Amino acid sequence: MGLTKQYLRYVSSAVFGVIGSQKANIAYVTLRGGEKGRYVAVAACEHVFIWDVRKAEKVLILQGQKHEVTFLCPSPDGVHIAVGYEDGAVRIFSLLNGESTVSFNGHKSAVTVINYDALGARLVTGSKDTDVIVWDVINECGLYRLKGHKDVITQALFLKKKNLLVTSSKDSFVKWWDLDTQHCFKTMVGHRSEVWGMLLLNQEDRLLTGSADSELRAWNISYLEEGKADGEPRVKKEKTLLEDDEDEDEEVDESPEERILSCKKFGSILREARDRVVSLTADNKARVIACHGNDSALELFTVLSEEEVQKKMNKKLKKAKKKAAKYVPTLLPNHSLMSLSRLRWVDCLSCAGGELKVALLLQNNTIETYSLRTLNNTPTANKTARLTLGGHRTDVRTLAFSSDNLAVLSASGDTVKVWNRSTLQVIRTMACEYALCSLFVPGDRQIILGTKSGKLQIFELASGSLLETVDAHDGAVWSLCLAPDQRGIVTGSADKTVKFWEFELIKDQGTAQKRLTVKHSRSLQLEEDVLCVKFSPDHRLLAVSLLDCTVKVFYTDTLKFFLSLYGHKLPVLCLDISHDSTLIATGSADRNVKIWGLDFGDCHRSMFAHDDSVMFLQFVPKTHLFFTAGKDKKIKQWDADKFEHIQTLEGHHREVWCLTISPSGDYIVSSGHDKSLRLWERTREPIILEEEREMEREAEVEESMAKGDVPVVPGETQGEAAPAGKKTVETVKAAERIMEVLELYREETRKMEEHKYACEKAGKELPPPQSNPILVAFGNVSPSRYVLDVIKKVRSSELEVSLLVLPFPYIPELLTLFNSYIQQGLEVELVCRCLFFLVSNIQWSRREQSLRVLSSLSLFLSDFISLLVFQNMMGFNSAALQFLQREIESKEDVMFFADATGRLDEKKKKKRKRERAVLTIA
């Protein structure tokens, strides 16, 4: 048997270079009772970063899994933060330790909005799947799913005064939901385009909406009395000649009768921006509103109270004298902020002393914070922080490793940064032109960049200064390659030339010290644009990829033509040559990778590598293994000898532009369109290809299951309300565990019955049968108790769907066990929750066993529930009396009940003692 080739696994080690992802909002948070407005939470791809804006450093990372974060919402108490993800999951993290405490799965696509109620006990989420789901945070389960919108949900808000919910969507509708009956009782159709933002103002008496135009619409909310809410007929007001048709359209409502509340247009205010509302938010006191579009301007509005409105009304009346003002807005423009780049998200926070703190997340990977104060009725804004050091403003298009594996170079459209690989901290940041390629000069003291304008820029790392800019080409420099003898470089450009350069040390005229420069030695003229150049490690050949989809190979010394490699249907964007100069691998925009022999130029194998263009390719040093990066967001490892796909590195959420492998082969750094840099590390774990393919197939099944439809409860009509959960891999696995333990219970029950029959037949007590090893491992627990332990370990948010997935033959046996648990008083709350769900959501056949179990349960539960109700009432009354006792004692400084009675007895005893003493003296 021949030796097998061992491959080692690469795993994700860190994500850096991203300050804040654009897909999720920014939110102020509080850490361990710290200063208000000091910490902000932003998404960083699949993670959440908590930044200290005063120190400009990360203080906490909330670790995600693999899906991108799409929304953040801190809890009202400031202890937790709810995070929504691209796959529709919602996880609640503790801000004390950064651990995930609760996880919900109900949406089929990205979560677009999350909001808590006033107490933080319920959570509402909206998604791209047009559904709104209300979750119970305390019980860790879904309450119900609300269906009715036809497009992406943009906002969902709880009302404090009544058990109501208001939602907005891109379908131009605003819907009001009665959460007691779980149905939509009112639909506002006054908007003519998408509703992008919504706020509740003036103690929930006014609704503010932002749409695709420059108008912010205000709606007056009036709560109807019980008699009117019950459906009294309303007389429709006839349109007069003075009313405008447009006003009538604004107030059209689908409901012919008003129920619970009425919502009429109150007025509107025009924004300075003419595009759609991107973000509409208010501070924690709803006194200041922040609004912005797709530009760099942030508009702030002050919400006036009734007294302030009346004062402004009186001033207008005095100025107009006889002309009375018809309308005074409750929103007044307060201030405008101009950022250095386009805005993506904003958050506001009111602090002590009338200070307003504003946090901005910009589209160029930057966070800015401002402090606003009003002095002499004039608002002034001061920029307090700007976080830019930890990332690039634009996409990183080139990467390079130093020769000692310790430093990483990354260059973008305006800056080049050098990072410490071990700490992931920035060592140097230098301004540059639009960089396309880069390398470390031997010795790691200088770096060279090839730019889009055709120049070579040489930087010195010690001082962080630009040494020289060389006009190298007339077109973009697409590729740089260091010569194997380390005495020079070769450049390939869009001006159809390949130029050879030699390193030289010359005296600097200003300092009279020697510095590095490059001297042009010779050129190679070609017919097409040069996309990539590469020396063979033996310095014998030079490979050049051209725009005509071919790769030309030349002799390095004479520049004579040697080979032409043709076969790709689209241009070759990347290539590399193995360490022994025997193989050349090419990656193309046609999504294929071809492996060629450098001796005769024959194609060994053509492999379909990515679902989009192959952007980068590089061999692992001293091996025939190579990595490819593609626009399909994936990085793949291949074996050039066996032509096998080894593993796929998934992590980037946008196109992967480039990667670099350390000289030791232990580390990989990649960059993508999501502005993140990712460090991958080689482990000692071997890869078995068959297991790897099996894991990929399982991942595909899980993904298809996640995109599947939410299971419909048998016998339930699909109306506005539906179950909140959905079928996931976790719920299926939980159902399988429950089925396995029920099978074990059946087997153990059968053993005990056979043992009992054998004892009766023998007329004596026989040795008990051997218990199942699983039960022995758990401390010789009984089979029924082991079933309960397994059900307890199922996540609360997945319990109902797991029970729903169970086949019906297991249900009667489960009900029998539930009956015994309730009679024994074991986990009554959990068991009753499972029992009520099964009874109300499963179609029961008229089987004798099922009916007998259900009748037994109904008889026992009626008495048991009445006892629980009585205990609950007594506990409630006891807690209420204790609360009243504490309130009265704190106000009047007197003692009640037991303490007061005890003191009275002491007074009586003292009085008796005094009387006895007097009698004795007498």
Side-chain angles (χ1 to χ4, degrees):
M1 181 178 178
L3 292 174
T4 59
K5 197 168 185 179
Q6 187 182 45
Y7 307 109
L8 297 179
R9 185 180 300 279
Y10 285 82
V11 296
S12 178
S13 176
V15 179
F16 62 105
V18 57
I19 297 175
S21 296
Q22 311 304 306
K23 210 158 194 181
N25 59 315
I26 185 172
Y28 275 108
V29 294
T30 306
L31 286 186
R32 304 176 188 90
E35 180 185 346
K36 225 174 158 185
R38 180 171 176 175
Y39 304 100
V40 294
V42 292
C45 297
E46 68 270 24
H47 307 305
V48 177
F49 288 170
I50 310 296
W51 289 93
D52 184 342
V53 294
R54 179 180 295 178
K55 295 182 179 179
E57 62 183 26
K58 277 181 286 196
V59 293
L60 185 63
I61 299 178
L62 308 180
Q63 296 286 341
Q65 294 171 346
K66 69 174 185 176
H67 294 282
E68 195 172 8
V69 175
T70 56
F71 204 86
L72 305 173
C73 180
S75 62
D77 57 6
V79 179
H80 298 88
I81 183 170
V83 182
Y85 292 90
E86 183 75 27
D87 63 339
V90 177
R91 297 172 69 191
I92 298 178
F93 291 87
S94 170
L95 291 174
L96 301 177
N97 53 18
E99 298 294 330
S100 175
T101 57
V102 183
S103 180
F104 297 128
N105 278 292
H107 292 290
K108 293 183 287 184
S109 54
V111 176
T112 55
V113 63
I114 303 176
N115 268 310
Y116 280 92
D117 66 354
L119 299 176
R122 290 180 301 174
L123 195 71
V124 61
T125 60
S127 169
K128 286 185 178 179
D129 61 6
T130 74
D131 290 346
V132 177
I133 301 180
V134 180
W135 307 90
D136 186 345
V137 177
I138 298 174
N139 204 24
E140 299 181 12
C141 67
L143 295 178
Y144 36 79
R145 180 191 306 265
L146 303 176
K147 295 173 173 286
H149 284 291
K150 305 298 182 185
D151 211 331
V152 178
I153 308 298
T154 57
Q155 187 59 282
L157 300 170
F158 284 105
L159 271 72
K160 298 178 184 177
K161 295 184 177 180
K162 293 188 178 244
N163 192 23
L164 305 178
L165 181 75
V166 56
T167 60
S168 64
S169 169
K170 285 173 65 176
D171 59 6
S172 76
F173 297 147
V174 175
K175 288 181 176 288
W176 294 83
W177 305 84
D178 186 351
L179 298 184
D180 292 329
T181 58
Q182 301 161 22
H183 81 288
C184 175
F185 66 89
K186 185 179 184 64
T187 300
M188 296 166 53
V189 295
H191 301 86
R192 299 183 179 181
S193 57
E194 300 94 338
V195 181
W196 290 100
M198 182 172 62
L199 290 173
L200 287 168
L201 305 174
N202 292 0
Q203 298 179 350
E204 299 182 350
D205 289 334
R206 195 148 295 149
L207 184 72
L208 187 70
T209 57
S211 186
D213 50 19
S214 60
E215 184 181 3
L216 294 179
R217 295 170 174 83
W219 308 81
N220 205 16
I221 303 172
S222 57
Y223 298 92
L224 303 180
E225 298 177 1
E226 292 297 327
K228 294 182 180 180
D230 290 337
E232 289 184 0
R234 293 172 61 247
V235 180
K236 185 178 179 180
K237 185 178 74 171
E238 295 183 359
K239 177 175 165 290
T240 64
L241 295 176
L242 296 177
E243 293 176 338
D244 193 6
D245 293 337
E246 183 178 353
D247 292 337
E248 184 191 16
D249 292 339
E250 296 287 354
E251 297 187 3
V252 170
D253 196 304
E254 279 188 359
S255 308
E257 296 179 355
E258 297 286 359
R259 294 187 61 251
I260 303 176
L261 57 80
S262 66
C263 190
K264 297 297 180 183
K265 187 176 180 184
F266 179 72
S268 62
I269 188 168
L270 292 178
R271 301 185 295 120
E272 294 180 2
R274 292 291 177 259
D275 56 349
R276 74 171 182 89
V277 172
V278 173
S279 177
L280 180 65
T281 185
D283 65 335
N284 46 348
K285 298 179 182 178
R287 286 281 296 163
V288 178
I289 296 170
C291 177
H292 69 87
N294 280 314
D295 53 7
S296 59
L298 173 69
E299 298 179 55
L300 297 173
F301 300 90
T302 302
V303 182
L304 302 180
S305 62
E306 294 295 333
E307 294 79 8
E308 292 170 328
V309 170
Q310 192 61 40
K311 287 181 181 179
K312 290 193 174 290
M313 176 75 79
N314 295 334
K315 287 183 180 179
K316 282 202 170 189
L317 288 174
K318 289 179 181 179
K319 288 182 180 179
K321 294 183 179 179
K322 294 183 180 180
K323 296 180 180 179
K326 291 184 178 180
Y327 168 67
V328 175
T330 56
L331 290 179
L332 283 185
N334 186 354
H335 197 73
S336 292
L337 293 177
M338 292 296 295
S339 62
L340 298 178
S341 179
R342 291 195 299 171
L343 296 176
R344 189 64 188 90
W345 297 98
V346 62
D347 194 24
C348 303
L349 183 67
S350 292
C351 300
E355 181 187 9
L356 178 72
K357 292 187 177 181
V358 180
L360 305 178
L361 177 61
L362 308 184
Q363 292 193 1
N364 65 348
N365 196 27
T366 304
I367 294 174
E368 290 183 356
T369 59
Y370 292 83
S371 174
L372 281 81
R373 293 179 182 273
T374 302
L375 299 174
N376 300 325
N377 294 325
T378 303
T380 58
N382 296 317
K383 185 184 292 186
T384 55
R386 189 167 190 262
L387 305 184
T388 59
L389 185 63
H392 289 272
R393 308 285 72 74
T394 56
D395 292 357
V396 173
R397 302 308 297 257
T398 175
L399 293 165
F401 252 110
S402 62
S403 60
D404 57 1
N405 307 300
L406 294 179
V408 180
L409 180 153
S410 63
S412 65
D414 55 357
T415 56
V416 54
K417 292 178 181 287
V418 180
W419 307 77
N420 186 321
R421 178 193 53 78
S422 57
T423 63
L424 302 179
Q425 298 298 318
V426 179
I427 302 173
R428 288 285 183 270
T429 299
M430 298 158 284
C432 67
E433 296 187 17
Y434 197 115
L436 297 175
C437 49
S438 62
L439 56 82
F440 276 91
V441 176
D444 298 334
R445 295 184 178 182
Q446 296 88 13
I447 60 174
I448 299 179
L449 301 182
T451 67
K452 196 174 184 179
S453 60
K455 298 177 182 178
L456 292 178
Q457 291 187 312
I458 306 174
F459 292 88
E460 186 179 31
L461 295 183
S463 61
S465 60
L466 175 64
L467 293 180
E468 187 180 3
T469 299
V470 181
D471 292 326
H473 292 273
D474 296 330
V477 180
W478 288 111
S479 182
L480 272 176
C481 183
L482 181 67
D485 58 4
Q486 298 189 347
R487 294 182 179 180
I489 60 173
V490 63
T491 58
S493 169
D495 62 0
K496 305 178 183 179
T497 58
V498 174
K499 291 187 179 182
F500 295 80
W501 308 81
E502 294 178 353
F503 295 134
E504 271 192 355
L505 289 174
I506 62 171
K507 283 189 177 181
D508 194 351
Q509 296 177 357
T511 61
Q513 294 181 352
K514 288 187 177 182
R515 65 171 177 84
L516 181 74
T517 186
V518 290
K519 179 183 177 182
H520 178 228
S521 59
R522 51 184 177 154
S523 299
L524 174 63
Q525 187 67 39
L526 297 162
E527 294 93 7
E528 295 289 341
D529 292 7
V530 178
L531 300 180
C532 189
V533 293
K534 198 73 179 179
F535 278 117
S536 62
D538 60 5
H539 207 182
R540 191 174 68 93
L541 301 173
L542 175 71
V544 182
S545 71
L546 303 176
L547 198 60
D548 61 0
C549 310
T550 63
V551 176
K552 308 286 187 186
V553 183
F554 300 89
Y555 289 105
T556 305
D557 49 0
T558 62
L559 296 184
K560 286 185 177 180
F561 176 76
F562 174 53
L563 290 173
S564 179
L565 311 178
Y566 57 90
H568 285 289
K569 298 177 182 178
L570 290 174
V572 175
L573 303 178
C574 51
L575 61 88
D576 198 12
I577 300 175
S578 62
H579 71 286
D580 53 5
S581 303
T582 59
L583 297 176
I584 178 172
T586 58
S588 168
D590 62 7
R591 303 177 291 179
N592 292 319
V593 167
K594 293 182 184 292
I595 301 171
W596 316 75
L598 267 181
D599 44 4
F600 302 108
D602 55 325
C603 181
H604 292 180
R605 184 64 63 93
S606 179
M607 299 177 291
F608 183 78
H610 291 270
D611 295 330
D612 209 331
S613 301
V614 182
M615 299 302 297
F616 205 85
L617 184 149
Q618 187 175 351
F619 274 96
V620 178
K622 300 179 182 179
T623 67
H624 279 186
L625 308 178
F626 65 92
F627 281 90
T628 59
K631 279 188 175 181
D632 59 354
K633 315 172 191 176
K634 296 177 182 177
I635 299 170
K636 296 185 178 181
Q637 186 184 17
W638 307 84
D639 187 344
D641 291 331
K642 295 187 175 182
F643 316 118
E644 287 182 322
H645 172 217
I646 301 172
Q647 65 173 325
T648 301
L649 306 179
E650 295 186 8
H652 284 283
H653 301 284
R654 300 289 184 277
E655 298 92 334
V656 183
W657 296 129
C658 59
L659 60 85
T660 180
I661 304 176
S662 65
S664 64
D666 290 333
Y667 302 98
I668 300 173
V669 175
S670 59
S671 72
H673 189 43
D674 55 8
K675 292 189 173 62
S676 70
L677 301 176
R678 292 180 180 267
L679 176 65
W680 311 84
E681 189 173 349
R682 184 164 59 187
T683 64
R684 308 310 300 170
E685 178 189 353
I687 293 179
I688 302 173
L689 296 182
E690 291 78 7
E691 292 183 359
E692 198 71 14
R693 301 291 87 81
E694 182 65 28
M695 290 169 60
E696 290 178 1
R697 285 191 290 269
E698 289 179 359
E700 290 178 1
V701 171
E702 291 180 9
E703 188 175 354
S704 63
M705 186 179 296
K707 293 180 179 178
D709 294 332
V710 178
V712 179
V713 176
E716 181 181 355
T717 59
Q718 288 295 295
E720 291 179 338
K726 73 170 183 178
K727 183 179 178 181
T728 63
V729 178
E730 288 76 14
T731 58
V732 172
K733 289 180 179 178
E736 289 175 352
R737 289 196 297 270
I738 295 175
M739 286 190 287
E740 289 174 0
V741 73
L742 286 175
E743 291 288 349
L744 187 147
Y745 171 76
R746 287 178 179 176
E747 182 182 350
E748 292 298 311
T749 305
R750 182 181 56 79
K751 283 183 183 178
M752 295 303 296
E753 290 178 354
E754 290 177 354
H755 174 68
K756 183 179 179 181
Y757 177 75
C759 291
E760 291 178 353
K761 190 174 181 181
K764 62 179 180 179
E765 189 68 27
L766 298 176
Q770 186 176 3
S771 299
N772 192 291
I774 298 177
L775 300 178
V776 175
F778 281 92
N780 282 324
V781 297
S782 64
S784 60
R785 187 58 190 261
Y786 182 56
V787 174
L788 182 59
D789 292 340
V790 170
I791 294 176
K792 280 171 60 178
K793 291 178 182 177
V794 179
R795 280 186 178 178
S796 180
S797 57
E798 300 168 356
L799 185 57
E800 281 89 350
V801 183
S802 301
L803 293 173
L804 199 62
V805 173
L806 285 176
F808 185 80
Y810 292 95
I811 302 300
E813 199 161 13
L814 201 57
L815 291 179
T816 305
L817 287 170
F818 287 165
N819 191 5
S820 64
Y821 297 151
I822 293 175
Q823 293 181 10
Q824 297 173 30
L826 298 174
E827 300 292 340
V828 176
E829 184 177 352
L830 174 66
V831 172
C832 287
R833 176 185 167 191
C834 299
L835 178 63
F836 296 153
F837 178 79
L838 289 175
V839 170
S840 59
N841 290 286
I842 290 183
Q843 289 180 334
W844 295 92
S845 59
R846 298 186 61 84
R847 294 184 181 178
E848 185 178 353
Q849 181 185 4
S850 302
L851 294 176
R852 186 170 63 251
V853 172
L854 288 175
S855 61
S856 173
L857 278 168
S858 63
L859 291 174
F860 183 77
L861 279 177
S862 59
D863 298 334
F864 189 79
I865 291 175
S866 62
L867 179 62
L868 284 179
V869 170
F870 180 74
Q871 291 177 348
N872 187 26
M873 182 177 63
M874 294 298 294
F876 181 83
N877 291 338
S878 174
L881 289 173
Q882 291 174 7
F883 173 76
L884 290 175
Q885 175 186 356
R886 290 192 298 270
E887 288 291 314
I888 298 174
E889 287 175 355
S890 62
K891 289 181 180 179
E892 301 184 6
D893 196 20
V894 295
M895 304 301 292
F896 278 91
F897 304 121
D899 294 339
T901 307
R903 291 190 177 186
L904 184 61
D905 292 340
E906 290 179 1
K907 288 181 179 179
K908 288 182 178 179
K909 289 180 180 178
K910 289 180 180 179
K911 186 177 180 181
R912 288 172 186 167
K913 287 182 180 180
R914 285 197 300 269
E915 290 176 352
R916 289 174 185 170
V918 170
L919 290 174
T920 304
I921 294 171

